[in-house]
Amino acid sequence: MTAKTRRPGPTVRTDVIEVRGTEILRHEDRLATEEPLEIRLAWPGSPAQRVVVTMRTPGHDFELAAGWLVGEQILGREQVAAVRYCTDEDLAPDEEFNVVTVEATAPPAYLPQPRLMNSACGVCGTTSIDEALRSVPAPTSGVVVPLDLVRSLPALLEQGQPGFARTGGLHAAGLFDLDGVPQAVREDVGRHNAVDKVIGAGVLGRMPVAPILVLSGRVGFELVHKAAAAGVAAVVAVGAPSSLAVGLAAEAGIGLAGFTRPERCVIYAGSDRFGV
């Protein structure tokens, strides 16, 4: 008998390196699980078709799918008849709970252009990482970010956050060199937008990419993907990374440090990038 696939939970275990002052501690930690969810839509006379792939923490997937379709005004509340996990026979075991189909009672108001992360029937963490890495350059080899610099970077980033100082409501991203000098620091209400802005500043300024991306908040898969696409060697964040962000950083050869403070940081991937 084949063992049934276990539904992914909201957290996963991982081994980390925690730096406190001069002390280096190796221990187990927990990450918020990040997995892609493919949402499909079917209605009478139409087979199920992919509408969107969104990143999420597993759990309440049917609610997420129904709420997204209603929130995007693709379906009215009364049009949602049922939601189920996809049962396609060619789905890989780790894709089983990452694809849902919403059955509607009538055709949708409109169908957006599908936003695809993977060309396969379904998606999972591993295939998403493989897909993301197909066209990104390898980061510069030999780049090592000293731990003292790592722990000073959030304060250096904050110096370029006038909007946050006035409002408390903006995210920030900055590209820094190995001397702690910012190439660019940008703010935005969206974490992804802030990262796009600093990368764009380098592109439009015809500058070689700075090796360190510093983030004011948590780190998701897409932010590490953007860093990899830009050729960044290390990502340093004030907040925590997700499970898929750590997996992508490890595969891409990017150093990833989170919970960064003047006295502490936690290294989740690419410890050699930090000389550990």
Side-chain angles (χ1 to χ4, degrees):
M1 177 181 292
T2 303
K4 185 172 179 60
T5 304
R6 189 172 68 86
R7 187 174 304 188
T11 65
V12 295
R13 293 186 176 93
T14 189
D15 293 325
V16 302
I17 300 172
E18 181 177 354
V19 181
R20 287 183 177 270
T22 59
E23 189 178 11
I24 295 179
L25 308 170
R26 300 173 187 269
H27 60 85
E28 186 179 80
D29 202 352
R30 280 192 172 271
L31 299 171
T33 305
E34 183 180 27
E35 291 272 342
L37 179 71
E38 178 180 319
I39 300 174
R40 299 177 180 179
L41 180 61
W43 60 92
S46 174
Q49 51 189 295
R50 179 189 287 122
V51 179
V52 71
V53 176
T54 183
M55 291 300 188
R56 99 295 191 197
T57 295
H60 306 288
D61 293 333
F62 293 178
E63 296 172 3
L64 172 60
W68 187 86
L69 289 166
V70 171
E72 293 291 316
Q73 297 184 296
I74 296 170
L75 295 180
R77 297 171 65 93
E78 70 286 348
Q79 287 181 274
V80 179
V83 188
R84 57 179 172 78
Y85 283 111
C86 181
T87 56
D88 288 4
E89 292 184 359
D90 56 350
L91 282 180
D94 52 2
E95 296 173 339
E96 183 176 351
F97 295 109
N98 282 344
V99 183
V100 299
T101 299
V102 177
E103 302 281 352
T105 59
Y110 73 99
L111 275 179
Q113 184 69 28
R115 283 172 267 175
L116 306 180
M117 287 183 56
N118 192 280
S119 60
C121 171
V123 290
C124 66
T126 301
T127 54
S128 296
I129 289 173
D130 291 343
E131 182 74 17
L133 289 175
R134 282 184 184 176
S135 58
V136 301
T140 304
S141 61
V143 172
V144 176
V145 186
L147 289 173
D148 287 345
L149 174 60
V150 169
R151 290 178 291 186
S152 71
L153 285 168
L156 294 175
L157 180 71
E158 190 173 355
Q159 293 175 12
Q161 296 180 249
F164 178 79
R166 291 193 296 267
T167 68
L170 294 176
H171 296 282
L175 283 169
F176 288 79
D177 67 18
L178 292 173
D179 293 319
V181 177
Q183 183 180 84
V185 175
R186 299 290 184 266
E187 295 181 287
D188 200 280
V189 293
R191 294 188 309 275
H192 304 81
N193 294 343
V195 173
D196 288 338
K197 286 178 178 180
V198 293
I199 293 173
V203 171
L204 296 178
R206 302 294 188 267
M207 296 178 284
V209 63
I212 313 165
L213 175 65
V214 186
L215 305 173
S216 64
R218 64 181 182 83
V219 193
F221 173 87
E222 292 181 39
L223 298 187
V224 176
H225 182 228
K226 289 176 185 292
V232 166
V235 176
V236 175
V238 173
S242 70
S243 62
L244 211 53
V246 172
L248 179 57
E251 289 293 328
I254 292 174
L256 177 56
F259 290 113
T260 308
R261 308 287 188 273
E263 73 288 348
R264 174 180 185 254
C265 68
V266 180
I267 299 171
Y268 292 90
S271 58
D272 56 315
R273 291 290 187 184
F274 305 111
V276 178

